[in-house]
Amino acid sequence: HAQLPTPSSHNYEDCNTMSDEEPVDPLPQIRKDCIKTCPGPLAKYDACKDRIKGKEGVSCEIWYYELHHCIDHCVAPKIFAVTKGG
């Protein structure tokens, strides 16, 4: 069994070294950068949006999901690399 630190063994000075700045979520920028790696799905989604503009009862849902599947495939290793380092 791993031993839990006791109050006398914990370094409380570390608590005072935290920054007062709000943490920045890296995910939105990583997702934006990853769109460039998905030109095919992005083109299909954009073409679909243009085709259905002004029409009711139709959507580009399948192309939307394909685009985001591609983006997520790019994002996953990048976001895990960022969070592992933190």
Side-chain angles (χ1 to χ4, degrees), residues 5-44:
T6 61
S8 61
S9 69
H10 184 75
N11 184 0
Y12 288 100
E13 291 178 12
D14 290 341
C15 296
N16 295 327
T17 60
M18 293 184 68
S19 172
D20 287 338
E21 294 180 24
E22 285 291 318
V24 176
D25 183 1
L27 185 59
Q29 184 61 48
I30 292 172
R31 289 185 73 79
K32 185 177 177 182
D33 294 343
C34 281
I35 289 175
K36 297 175 219 161
T37 68
C38 302
L42 178 60
K44 290 178 183 177

Side-chain angles (χ1 to χ4, degrees), residues 67-83:
L67 173 60
H68 282 275
H69 176 76
C70 179
I71 293 169
D72 289 345
H73 185 73
C74 169
V75 165
K78 292 175 177 14
I79 196 68
F80 284 120
V82 170
T83 56

